[in-house]
Amino acid sequence: DVQKLMRIIDNIFSNLTKYADPENAIVIRAEQDNEYIYLHFNNKKRHDTANVESNHIGLKTCVRIAEAIHSRFETKAEEDEFTVTLTLPCKKPLLIGGKEN
């Protein structure tokens, strides 16, 4: 379901805009094996978010949406970093430049 997937992606980028440290790069990495595509988003945490309210509702919503499309949405919070991994089922080989990878 493309609309649900786009809602997850929109939420990830919304959170990056609010919570990622603008002085550091956001690292986006994609991997694939025979069963899954893994999208990893990693950022350094912004330190000036004291006035930004968060109940993590957006992240909880992403978990529910991912489950509805037979995917996984996982987060890992460390002291200075935050990582999201979106795992999508892959039924066909991913074609890049017309070649199977």
Side-chain angles (χ1 to χ4, degrees):
D1 186 329
V2 175
Q3 287 181 331
K4 289 180 181 171
L5 179 59
M6 287 308 300
R7 187 163 174 206
I8 292 172
I9 299 296
D10 285 345
N11 186 277
I12 290 170
F13 282 97
S14 174
N15 282 354
L16 288 169
T17 301
K18 289 180 191 175
Y19 303 113
D21 184 345
E23 299 296 319
N24 288 281
I26 296 167
V27 178
I28 302 172
R29 188 169 45 95
E31 298 176 275
Q32 179 185 4
D33 61 23
N34 290 331
E35 297 182 56
Y36 299 101
I37 296 171
Y38 306 91
L39 301 175
H40 307 278
F41 302 82
N42 178 268
N43 63 278
K44 297 282 185 186
K45 291 180 183 178
R46 179 185 294 236
H47 294 286
D48 62 348
T49 58
N51 295 327
V52 177
E53 287 189 37
S54 175
N55 295 320
H56 303 285
I57 291 172
L59 297 176
K60 293 174 188 174
T61 300
C62 287
V63 170
R64 285 196 310 274
I65 294 170
E67 289 172 355
I69 61 172
H70 309 290
S71 301
R72 285 191 312 264
F73 183 90
E74 301 167 297
T75 61
K76 182 179 178 183
E78 296 178 356
E79 188 173 327
D80 288 332
E81 290 189 22
F82 190 77
T83 303
V84 167
T85 299
L86 178 59
T87 304
L88 304 164
C90 178
K91 296 182 181 172
K92 296 180 183 177
L94 182 63
L95 297 178
I96 298 177
K99 295 182 181 181
E100 186 174 307
N101 287 336

